[in-house]
Amino acid sequence: MRSIFLPKSLLAAALGGVVVLAGFGAQNATADQTSVVSTVVASDDDAEARFLEMADLISQSCAPDVSSGVDDVASASVADTTAAEPTPDSTLPVLVDPVPLTSTEECAAQRHQLRISRAFSGTDTATYEEMRNKLTSLNYPAARIHRMPDFSGEPVARLDLRVGAEHLALEVTDINNGVMVEAFGAPEGVSVTEVRLEPQLDAPTS
């Protein structure tokens, strides 16, 4: 079989073209990956911005009178000091007691509870994923939604609605044709999943 020999200069040029093309493909792949990551980050930022805007509107509508502002601050201060201290020797997750909500936070809790209850009314949420998707459609960012153990086979999620030094959080439990929404106060620096709540529902009998 006859062999074909290329001049060294031509061979070098051909190999150089392959290297350049390979490098170009790698750059395109890296650019595509960066684009995907940027899109996800932008989406998360947009969701958080929409939530903060909604939370601000609700907070303004619940703003207390000047005379009641002192009570709110005092209540919040007491709440932070009553949180349970972690047990250093324990290897299990440390649960803490909920803290009291201020009057402004209680008002905001009622607004959130109402809009969530209305949105889930007449629907049976079979899985946590369905519950999370519904909550994100209501402008609650996925990063603020936390899965909890199912209650009698029904999905449960907690919403971290804290902004700044606030304590508001919600627990959403699926029930027949709707959800039960319970408000509670989460201490600063503690995940909403680590707050100990007393069961508010009896297990279904059927």
Side-chain angles (χ1 to χ4, degrees):
M1 181 175 177
R2 185 178 179 183
S3 299
I4 300 176
F5 296 94
L6 295 175
K8 289 184 178 180
S9 58
L10 183 58
L11 181 61
L15 292 176
V18 173
V19 172
V20 170
L21 289 175
F24 182 71
Q27 290 176 358
N28 279 348
T30 303
D32 290 342
Q33 293 174 357
T34 303
S35 177
V36 171
V37 172
S38 299
T39 301
V40 172
V41 171
S43 178
D44 291 344
D45 289 344
D46 290 343
E48 181 68 12
R50 288 193 296 269
F51 164 74
L52 292 176
E53 182 179 0
M54 174 181 68
D56 184 59
L57 291 174
I58 291 177
S59 180
Q60 289 182 26
S61 69
C62 290
D65 296 333
V66 176
S67 58
S68 63
V70 175
D71 294 335
D72 282 349
V73 173
S75 175
S77 299
V78 172
D80 285 336
T81 58
T82 56
E85 292 295 330
T87 305
D89 298 332
S90 176
T91 58
L92 297 175
V94 178
L95 298 181
V96 301
D97 292 326
V99 298
L101 296 174
T102 65
S103 59
T104 301
E105 290 170 335
E106 289 178 351
C107 171
Q110 293 174 1
R111 305 291 174 87
H112 286 288
Q113 288 172 304
L114 182 60
R115 70 189 302 269
I116 292 173
S117 296
R118 284 178 173 173
F120 280 87
S121 179
T123 61
D124 182 20
T125 309
T127 66
Y128 167 77
E129 286 71 21
E130 291 180 6
M131 175 178 285
R132 182 190 59 196
N133 291 341
K134 185 71 172 179
L135 289 170
T136 55
S137 72
L138 295 174
N139 289 336
Y140 297 105
R144 289 179 173 269
I145 304 172
H146 303 271
R147 185 170 191 169
M148 298 297 292
D150 289 356
F151 178 80
S152 247
E154 300 298 331
V156 181
R158 286 189 179 179
L159 292 179
D160 188 347
L161 304 183
R162 292 175 293 186
V163 177
E166 296 175 356
H167 304 91
L168 179 58
L170 300 177
E171 180 167 276
V172 183
T173 305
D174 179 64
I175 56 177
N176 292 331
N177 296 321
V179 292
M180 185 188 77
V181 187
E182 178 185 3
F184 63 95
E188 184 178 354
V190 174
S191 170
V192 295
T193 62
E194 298 173 353
V195 180
R196 182 189 301 107
L197 298 181
E198 296 296 329
Q200 299 296 313
L201 285 174
D202 293 328
T205 56
S206 59

